[in-house]
């Protein structure tokens, strides 16, 4: 879609007044990978963020959770529209293997 509309000032009208859910693995993904897209959809509808872990791989989970809330505030996402999962079965880390059923249940 982005390539099709590249160089134009318009997006399909089907994006107006929509609710969009962004799902990320851990805090900072929302701004590193989706910042401009979140800001775009924030202008055209309502944005929700679901972060699957608190980013506690290095023991910084509480700090990373605060960073997610600060980032979402800067991106214009309402605090009530941000959910951070702190699960015993969906863990952060390079060797973590997530069960699709566990992820689906959270979504």
């Amino acid at each position: 879609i982005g390539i099709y509309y590249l160089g134009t000032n318009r997006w399909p009208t089907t994006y107006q007044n929509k609710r969009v859910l962004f799902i990320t693995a851990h805090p900072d993904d929302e701004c590193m990978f989706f910042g401009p897209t979140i800001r775009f959809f924030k202008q055209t509808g309502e944005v929700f963020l679901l972060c699957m872990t608190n980013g506690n791989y290095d023991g910084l989970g509480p700090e990373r959770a605060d960073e997610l809330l600060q980032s979402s505030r800067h991106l214009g996402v309402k605090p009530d529209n941000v959910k951070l999962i702190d699960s015993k079965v969906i863990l952060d880390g390079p060797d973590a293997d997530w069960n699709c059923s566990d992820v689906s249940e959270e979504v």
Side-chain angles (χ1 to χ4, degrees):
I1 293 171
I3 293 172
Y4 182 79
Y5 289 95
L6 188 64
T8 69
N9 290 326
R10 65 182 183 84
W11 283 78
T13 56
T14 56
Y15 287 113
Q16 300 299 316
N17 301 315
K18 297 292 183 184
R19 297 172 59 173
V20 180
L21 172 63
F22 288 86
I23 302 172
T24 62
H26 34 68
D28 78 9
D29 290 352
E30 74 289 341
C31 58
M32 285 180 55
F33 304 115
F34 304 111
T37 308
I38 289 171
R39 292 186 69 99
F40 168 78
F41 281 110
K42 180 66 184 94
Q43 293 175 354
T44 63
E46 189 170 14
V47 172
F48 297 83
L49 298 177
L50 174 60
C51 188
M52 297 305 296
T53 72
N54 65 359
N56 198 38
Y57 179 69
D58 291 326
L60 301 173
E63 292 172 48
R64 305 280 315 274
D66 288 339
E67 291 170 357
L68 173 66
L69 293 175
Q70 290 176 30
S71 172
S72 63
R73 191 172 25 251
H74 285 288
L75 292 168
V77 179
K78 298 176 196 172
D80 289 344
N81 291 1
V82 178
K83 182 177 180 184
L84 181 115
I85 306 299
D86 187 8
S87 170
K88 302 274 188 248
V89 294
I90 302 175
L91 301 174
D92 185 35
D95 298 323
D97 188 20
W98 297 354
N99 180 294
C100 289
S101 297
D102 295 331
V103 172
S104 295
E105 190 173 310
E106 294 296 344
V107 173

